[in-house]
Amino acid sequence: DGVTEVLAHHSESLQDKFVEVPCSEDYDSHKRFEGCTPRKCGRGVTDAVITRDEAERIRRIAERGLSLGGSDGGASILDLHSGALSLGKHFVNLYRYFGDKIQDVFTEEDFALYRDVRQRIQQRIAQAFGISSASMYLTKPTFFSRINNTEAKTTHDEYWHPHVDKVTYGSFDYTSLLYLSDYTEDFGGGRFVFMDAGSNKTVEPRAGRVSFFTSGSENLHRVEKVHWGTRYAITISFTCNPDHGIGDPVLM
């Protein structure tokens, strides 16, 4: 793994930490949107946008949703926007599969909290990169993940491979992760690793911590395998292209 430098320790509460890195050329092969497409690239970590109490409330939304299904392997996904839910080795549409019963699982307050948290993260990213939050659009996939040490059963369970979000998804310009559980207390392994030439920069998850970054090759990354316990997080992604924008989830 080479040299590892910890960018954010789980034991520290960070107001704001931002590291600028040179932008890759990935954005050149997509339509550019002035005032949004990254010209300044980098990565940030903050524990000052979402409280630990809010993170706990959001984790309970994830737990309730994922209790309806769950992957046979180690990584389970819940996407409140599309309704995608891991079930065994496949995905089902939660809204179609469970119908009106969904009203017993989630409340309007759950979705209002989700929207509020999304907006605050969006504003924080806009501020860090010097763009207008109004020029950013939520894009898919935006989802909860629950990871444990169960052996992978399908390629969807193999979350640990290095990847670039802009290459994988195309629409992504800015990626964020909100962690909903604590490294070393709730799970072991599972750290987030930026893979830079010559060294790795590591973020240790902490409930309420937001990690965000530009989505191009300047931020090649991976997640370490979880060795024990359960790691909860939510990935919230933004695009500059309104054609790829999606709305906030609505309780059907």
Side-chain angles (χ1 to χ4, degrees), residues 91-233:
F91 288 94
V92 294
N93 184 309
L94 161 97
Y95 301 118
R96 282 206 295 271
Y97 201 78
F98 295 101
D100 293 341
K101 292 198 192 84
I102 282 300
Q103 307 282 347
D104 303 329
V105 181
F106 303 119
T107 65
E108 288 294 353
E109 287 80 15
D110 292 337
F111 279 60
L113 175 63
Y114 183 100
R115 277 196 304 277
D116 181 39
V117 162
R118 188 273 300 162
Q119 284 164 351
R120 276 185 270 160
I121 291 171
Q122 183 166 343
Q123 284 159 0
R124 182 66 202 89
I125 293 172
Q127 192 185 342
F129 291 103
I131 60 174
S132 158
S133 70
S135 65
M136 299 163 67
Y137 303 88
L138 197 61
T139 192
K140 60 182 185 184
T142 282
F143 57 91
F144 288 104
S145 57
R146 182 185 71 196
I147 306 175
N148 59 33
N149 66 351
T150 309
E151 193 183 333
K153 301 292 191 294
T154 71
T155 53
H156 289 295
D157 295 321
E158 297 180 11
Y159 56 83
W160 53 81
H161 300 297
H163 64 280
V164 172
D165 290 348
K166 187 83 183 150
V167 173
T168 307
Y169 300 113
S171 64
F172 282 30
D173 289 303
Y174 300 93
T175 307
S176 72
L177 292 142
L178 167 59
Y179 296 110
L180 305 174
S181 46
D182 292 306
Y183 172 67
T184 75
E185 286 177 42
D186 298 314
F187 62 91
R191 296 182 303 171
F192 185 95
V193 184
F194 289 108
M195 304 178 72
D196 296 340
S199 81
N200 291 332
K201 308 291 191 303
T202 302
V203 175
E204 297 179 349
R206 166 189 165 99
R209 170 165 287 171
V210 178
S211 170
F212 59 90
F213 49 93
T214 44
S215 307
S217 303
E218 67 278 358
N219 283 314
L220 173 70
H221 60 274
R222 69 184 186 89
V223 172
E224 295 174 329
K225 286 187 183 180
V226 169
H227 302 311
W228 59 267
T230 307
R231 176 193 193 270
Y232 282 93

Side-chain angles (χ1 to χ4, degrees), residues 55-98:
E56 198 170 300
R57 285 163 58 201
I58 290 209
R59 190 182 75 219
R60 288 201 289 269
I61 298 172
E63 287 170 343
R64 290 200 303 273
L66 285 160
S67 72
L68 300 172
S71 162
D72 289 344
S76 299
I77 296 298
L78 166 66
D79 182 332
L80 290 179
H81 300 264
S82 69
L85 171 71
S86 300
L87 188 65
K89 292 186 176 64
H90 306 284
F91 288 94
V92 294
N93 184 309
L94 161 97
Y95 301 118
R96 282 206 295 271
Y97 201 78
F98 295 101

Side-chain angles (χ1 to χ4, degrees), residues 31 36 220:
K31 186 177 175 186
C36 180
L220 173 70

Side-chain angles (χ1 to χ4, degrees), residues 20 23 32 34-41 174:
E20 193 166 345
C23 291
R32 294 192 77 89
E34 270 317 308
C36 180
T37 298
R39 292 201 178 277
K40 170 185 176 181
C41 292
Y174 300 93

